Amino acid sequence: MEVKVLNQKIDLKQLEMNISKSSNFQFAHQFFYVNTSSLHDSNKLPYVINQIADDPELHQFLVNNFNNIYSVEFEINHLNKYSYFEKSRELFGQILAGASNDILGAYSIQLRAPKPKEVEEIYEVFDSLGMFEGFVLATRKPERNIEHNTQGTAHFSSWFYDVAWDYLIVATWPKDNILWLGCLSDTD
């Protein structure tokens, strides 16, 4: 499967500005061309993400935004076996609307669900390229690893701070073979 970096396909400057003004979120994102007919299939997305992890050119956007507050050097790996993508346009919109309106995160002045209008604004931005499909990375509850005394995490890179406010979200436009990968991490 061929994956290539694309220039920004839609104007996300306002979204970037709103999130950067919000409490403490780091936000990195990139558009990709993915030569596959399965961008609508949540079971196939981990293969795309793993290919992005394998290729330094594809994950350069994360390296460029890496802040070594907690980890000395940038690391990236494949998604772990407990990770999966939940297909949910609604959750995708709620996460971005929450981050954009400073109502999602440990240091937000208020924590609340986004209003329908706030979520609709996210849809309008992403639908400007055509009707998108939204996905959110989630983690199945792993069995405890007694040997290492750890539990699995969904995050595949030290770019994330491994806190409760970390998100990896994906938008796809399958008929155009376009994928957008967005990463949010609260720096608390």
Side-chain angles (χ1 to χ4, degrees), residues 2 17 60 79 102 105 108 112 124 143 147 169 175:
E2 179 186 23
M17 192 170 60
Q60 187 63 44
L79 295 174
D102 200 12
S108 293
R112 64 168 173 80
E124 287 173 13
E143 295 184 25
E147 180 181 338
I169 53 181
K175 74 179 182 89

Side-chain angles (χ1 to χ4, degrees), residues 11 16 26 31 47 62 64 96 103 131 137-138 143 154 166-167 173 179 182:
D11 184 6
E16 292 169 355
Q26 291 280 107
F31 282 92
Y47 297 107
L62 287 174
N64 292 345
L96 280 178
I103 56 173
M131 180 72 86
L137 187 68
E143 295 184 25
D166 283 344
Y167 299 98
W173 294 264
L179 177 141

Side-chain angles (χ1 to χ4, degrees), residues 89-106:
R89 186 177 158 96
E90 180 180 1
L91 192 52
F92 175 97
Q94 289 173 347
I95 290 168
L96 280 178
S100 179
N101 289 284
D102 200 12
I103 56 173
L104 172 77

